[in-house]
Amino acid sequence: MPEFPPRNPPRDRRTAVSDYRTPVSAMAPKKPPCLPSLLLPLLTLLLPQADTRSFVVDRDNDRFLLDGVPFRYVSGSLHYFRVPRVLWADRLFKMRMSGLNAVQFYVPWNYHEPEPGVYNFHGSRDLIAFLNEAAIANLLVILRPGPYICAEWDMGGLPAWLLRKPKIHLRTSDPDFLAAVDSWFKVLLPKIHPWLYHNGGNIISIQVENEYGSYRACDFNYMRHLAGLFRAILGDEILLFTTDGPEGLKCGSLEGLYTTVDFGPGLLSKADNMTKIFTLLRNYEPHGPLVNSEYYTGWLDYWGQNHSTRSVHSVTNGLENMLKLGASVNMYMFHGGTNFGYWNGADEKGRFLPITTSYDYDAPISEAGDPTPKLFALRDVISKFQEIPLGPLPPPSPKMMLGPLTLHLDGDLLAFLNYLCPQGPIYSILPMTFEAVKQDHGFVLYRTYLSNTVSEPTRFWVPNNGVHDRAYVMVDGVFHGVLERNMKHKLFLTGQVGAKLDVLLESMGRLSFGSNTSDFKGLIEPPVLGQTILTRWLMFPLKVDKLVKWWFPLQLLKRSHPQTPSGPTFYSTMFAILGSSGDTFLYLPGWTKGQVWINGFNLGRYWTKRGPQQTLYVPRPLLYPRGALNKITLLELENAPPQPQVQFLDRPILNSTLHRTYVYSLSAEVQSDPEPMQLSGH
């Protein structure tokens, strides 16, 4: 019973327009081997020539041409940065077997350039390896390199270190921003140049920026600069395009870039809405194929709101109507994946709305990579317009149940401060932001001491909604409660002169859509106690992931523990899997909010008390099988349950109700040994 399909799945040669007319090997550019000079002329005649490959817009007939043949893509979005590398091939193969002929994905700048001039294209960040996996799966590529990507990803993919220049104007022709963008693209774009379709690769088109019309800056000089940079590095043959919602076409489109639109079933509630949207698109792109670059199969989730779903009927009906018009369509998302670690973004819709760890998106392929009823319904629709590969989709992956497991108290966060911040604190009269102390994600501890005795409960607050995003407040190590951006603005504290006031700040993800305001994290304003502005702060940027991965296994601390712990506290336990292992879902009943690691890998945030997400997806390759010891570590930020237990379920709970996996299986296959999971990617 394999989890993964064969690395080189058999190709369906029945496929006409939806298939390539060149072998997979021609799509993965390689250095030709050295051959005797007598064979080179013959080899030149036999190999497909890159200059015979083309993907162009046929404006006379409102269509694309692939190698001179009429072509329409039916594509799906998948984000390599939300899927462990060892699972890329599995997800891409399922997309191809669903009838898709292309995959669309973003490139998040902040995932690859963590510090200015420091680049990471290894492990789960190996973009070229992902392009190669798409080629093996026989999928063309629609690439969206930004620099801004939205994607419900932290800061829309822009690096947080840009905000170390506090007055920078993002996504504009601000010289500071353009200098950073130019530097990044001069590294990224040459890497993808060999993978352009006309060069023998699989990239047929590249998007410039992302839904820029929704940003309201409307800086056409910025867009022209990006277009010129792309052309200078990538050449004139590659198709460059823009994507905007109907209301954003005015500021998002640019002459010389092909204009596409995005909308989902929600805008198609009236029969003539699709016609109206495409008619509006024709005002900006009078001739050429109609393209919906983001047709929404589901929607994202926010903490504290219901799990989003889109009905199978509405999604399939809209797709069929677009295909009847001859449109090319990309379905966003076809497989959503997971916001591991701290990578989720946030929206601002009247208040700050952080996005959940799960990015299931109610997509056709579930977060765990399983086919859903939506997938099979979409496959049926696609089969009416183009041939789809022969054979069934792989069945759902094996699932595992385990537990309950009892976790042991390791100690409160303050007890580990020397290990969490070994370089020591930063001192400032006024509190500094995450960005100012070069902390991109996670947590910063702010500490000061009371200058006078506060004997009566006195209001503690931060002016101007200055908590970004949650503050866990402790006096002399005793937890007093939480302040939260837009939600909870005050606590009442007492304390003796000299009492230690600790405020742990958590970033819940930077704004990723629509806002023109830079989303700084931490204490944006100095806190006030009564009528006193608190000053003389120590700031500890915390390296929590390093503590969990490297120092906890050494068992450095042997401490007595509080009888009734509350506030930020570490828990952990070891466990073995004695039977067969499988994908699973970590359930934390009774816990409040925090972060969880398995074998040192940051699985993401849990927020059981607020929901809707109740379980965290645990991919099988993350777990050690055959009796080896696994370790789970929790940082509970508020209150643990009386019985600190967790358990692993065989299905997710994304809306406080069980979401049953749709099983589609025609044959059993042989299970391969698990491939070790790439931990370097997150």
Side-chain angles (χ1 to χ4, degrees):
M1 298 185 300
E3 181 175 356
F4 306 111
R7 295 290 288 180
N8 292 285
R11 302 178 65 221
D12 172 31
R13 299 312 309 165
R14 296 185 311 146
T15 319
V17 172
S18 64
D19 199 9
Y20 300 125
R21 282 157 292 282
T22 51
V24 166
S25 59
M27 295 165 47
K30 298 177 183 177
K31 184 177 179 181
C34 295
L35 294 172
S37 58
L38 291 176
L39 291 179
L40 287 176
L42 179 60
L43 183 65
T44 302
L45 291 173
L46 293 176
L47 284 176
Q49 298 299 300
D51 59 9
T52 65
R53 295 162 59 86
S54 63
F55 179 76
V56 298
V57 174
D58 178 4
R59 297 184 186 275
D60 293 335
N61 297 288
D62 296 334
R63 63 190 181 184
F64 290 122
L65 297 177
L66 184 71
D67 299 341
V69 177
F71 177 79
R72 177 246 296 281
Y73 61 73
V74 181
S75 171
S77 291
L78 178 153
H79 298 154
Y80 63 93
F81 43 92
R82 285 187 163 114
V83 179
R85 177 172 176 163
V86 294
L87 301 176
W88 288 350
D90 173 75
R91 307 306 195 249
L92 290 164
F93 178 64
K94 288 169 181 171
M95 292 174 72
R96 179 68 187 115
M97 294 300 290
S98 301
L100 306 185
N101 54 15
V103 58
Q104 182 203 79
F105 61 91
Y106 289 117
V107 180
W109 180 5
N110 56 8
Y111 198 56
H112 294 284
E113 192 178 358
E115 290 289 331
V118 177
Y119 302 100
N120 187 345
F121 289 93
H122 304 290
S124 290
R125 292 168 167 83
D126 193 337
L127 173 62
I128 302 306
F130 186 75
L131 285 168
N132 190 59
E133 292 289 3
I136 292 171
N138 205 17
L139 291 166
L140 294 166
V141 169
I142 301 161
L143 191 68
R144 311 173 84 184
Y148 164 82
I149 63 170
C150 182
E152 289 77 60
W153 190 252
D154 184 67
M155 204 164 148
L158 300 177
W161 50 257
L162 290 170
L163 300 181
R164 294 175 193 171
K165 295 183 176 180
K167 295 184 179 180
I168 195 169
H169 294 282
L170 305 175
R171 301 177 71 193
T172 69
S173 48
D174 179 328
D176 286 335
F177 183 65
L178 289 186
V181 169
D182 289 356
S183 178
W184 160 238
F185 277 140
K186 287 174 182 176
V187 172
L188 174 66
L189 297 183
K191 288 181 179 291
I192 65 173
H193 185 269
W195 288 84
L196 304 182
Y197 186 76
H198 60 270
N199 290 336
N202 52 356
I203 300 173
I204 57 172
S205 61
I206 296 179
Q207 180 179 294
V208 178
E209 243 280 347
N210 184 74
E211 294 183 324
Y212 190 64
S214 299
Y215 191 53
R216 301 184 302 278
C218 216
D219 186 342
F220 287 110
N221 288 330
Y222 164 62
M223 289 294 288
R224 290 188 191 101
H225 179 91
L226 291 181
L229 181 63
F230 279 50
R231 286 286 176 223
I233 298 175
L234 300 177
D236 294 330
E237 290 185 66
I238 185 67
L239 177 65
L240 300 181
F241 71 98
T242 60
T243 299
D244 285 280
E247 72 291 338
L249 291 168
K250 180 178 179 180
C251 286
S253 58
L254 186 71
E255 185 176 355
L257 306 180
Y258 195 76
T259 304
T260 74
V261 72
D262 56 37
F263 59 87
L267 287 182
L268 303 181
S269 55
K270 295 183 180 179
D272 62 342
N273 276 3
M274 183 182 296
T275 303
K276 288 180 179 178
I277 293 170
F278 281 136
T279 299
L280 179 62
L281 176 62
R282 283 297 185 213
N283 293 335
Y284 298 89
E285 200 63 72
H287 302 288
L290 299 170
V291 178
N292 185 343
S293 289
E294 288 189 6
Y295 177 62
Y296 304 111
T297 62
W299 200 245
L300 58 131
D301 287 348
Y302 301 111
W303 291 113
Q305 298 190 7
N306 289 330
H307 174 53
S308 299
T309 60
R310 291 270 166 89
S311 72
V312 171
H313 172 75
S314 67
V315 173
T316 55
N317 187 59
L319 176 65
E320 184 163 1
N321 288 335
M322 282 186 288
L323 296 182
K324 285 178 179 177
L325 291 176
S328 284
V329 180
N330 174 75
M331 285 171 273
Y332 188 102
M333 297 292 299
F334 208 81
H335 170 55
T338 308
N339 293 315
F340 293 115
Y342 311 107
W343 286 112
N344 66 276
D347 284 348
E348 194 161 39
K349 298 179 178 178
R351 64 181 180 89
F352 180 72
L353 293 171
I355 290 155
T356 58
T357 301
S358 172
Y359 200 65
D360 178 85
Y361 213 84
D362 195 34
I365 297 175
S366 74
E367 183 179 10
D370 295 333
T372 67
K374 190 175 288 181
L375 182 147
F376 293 102
L378 289 168
R379 193 180 191 221
D380 289 343
V381 170
I382 296 168
S383 69
K384 298 177 183 179
F385 298 89
Q386 57 194 38
E387 293 189 59
I388 60 176
L390 289 169
L393 277 102
S397 63
K399 302 297 187 296
M400 180 189 77
M401 296 181 69
L402 186 69
L405 306 173
T406 299
L407 273 66
H408 308 291
L409 176 64
D410 290 320
D412 62 80
L413 177 140
L414 297 179
F416 294 94
L417 195 54
N418 290 338
Y419 300 100
L420 287 164
C421 187
Q423 76 277 16
I426 299 163
Y427 173 79
S428 175
I429 294 295
L430 299 178
M432 300 167 67
T433 65
F434 275 45
E435 294 75 20
V437 300
K438 299 185 177 181
Q439 180 86 343
D440 289 342
H441 307 287
F443 304 89
V444 172
L445 181 74
Y446 293 77
R447 171 174 287 176
T448 191
Y449 296 87
L450 299 188
S451 58
N452 56 281
T453 296
V454 181
S455 55
E456 296 294 327
T458 301
R459 187 172 74 148
F460 174 76
W461 63 293
V462 182
N464 299 319
N465 198 28
V467 170
H468 285 198
D469 299 304
R470 283 175 63 84
Y472 305 90
V473 181
M474 294 154 280
V475 178
D476 283 337
V478 178
F479 180 57
H480 282 264
V482 178
L483 300 178
E484 183 177 352
R485 182 174 178 173
N486 295 122
M487 298 286 285
K488 186 174 181 183
H489 301 287
K490 61 184 177 181
L491 291 171
F492 289 88
L493 304 180
T494 60
Q496 298 296 313
V497 61
K500 182 171 59 182
L501 174 63
D502 287 314
V503 185
L504 180 68
L505 263 291
E506 177 188 16
S507 167
M508 283 296 296
R510 289 178 181 82
L511 294 172
S512 52
F513 178 77
S515 174
N516 286 44
T517 304
S518 297
D519 190 14
F520 297 95
K521 297 300 182 184
L523 288 176
I524 310 303
E525 300 274 348
V528 178
L529 181 60
Q531 302 298 317
T532 304
I533 297 175
L534 300 179
T535 58
R536 303 173 63 87
W537 289 91
L538 297 172
M539 282 141 295
F540 299 78
L542 303 185
K543 302 181 184 300
V544 183
D545 292 79
K546 287 188 177 180
L547 176 75
V548 170
K549 190 172 184 178
W550 300 114
W551 295 327
F552 267 5
L554 300 178
Q555 300 294 320
L556 290 175
L557 296 181
K558 302 292 184 183
R559 293 180 178 270
S560 59
H561 304 308
Q563 294 298 313
T564 55
S566 65
T569 307
F570 287 102
Y571 295 81
S572 67
T573 194
M574 309 288 285
F575 65 96
I577 301 170
L578 301 179
S580 59
S581 64
D583 286 348
T584 187
F585 304 91
L586 178 64
Y587 181 43
L588 303 107
W591 297 82
T592 305
K593 185 188 189 302
Q595 205 82 19
V596 58
W597 294 259
I598 291 186
N599 295 327
F601 180 85
N602 192 332
L603 208 58
R605 310 176 201 273
Y606 66 89
W607 203 344
T608 310
K609 190 171 182 178
R610 186 164 293 185
Q613 181 180 353
Q614 299 292 305
T615 58
L616 295 177
Y617 169 54
V618 183
R620 186 190 68 166
L622 182 56
L623 298 169
Y624 302 136
R626 303 186 181 94
L629 287 178
N630 295 271
K631 183 166 188 177
I632 179 170
T633 304
L634 264 66
L635 172 57
E636 169 57 55
L637 294 166
E638 298 184 44
N639 295 294
Q643 295 293 324
Q645 294 183 330
V646 300
Q647 53 188 302
F648 293 95
L649 307 181
D650 60 358
R651 61 195 63 188
I653 307 175
L654 298 179
N655 199 28
S656 301
T657 57
L658 292 181
H659 174 74
R660 295 188 176 275
T661 300
Y662 183 70
V663 178
Y664 180 85
S665 176
L666 294 181
S667 62
E669 302 180 48
V670 180
Q671 185 167 350
S672 59
D673 288 334
E675 199 172 342
M677 184 161 173
Q678 272 284 355
L679 298 182
S680 62
H682 300 285

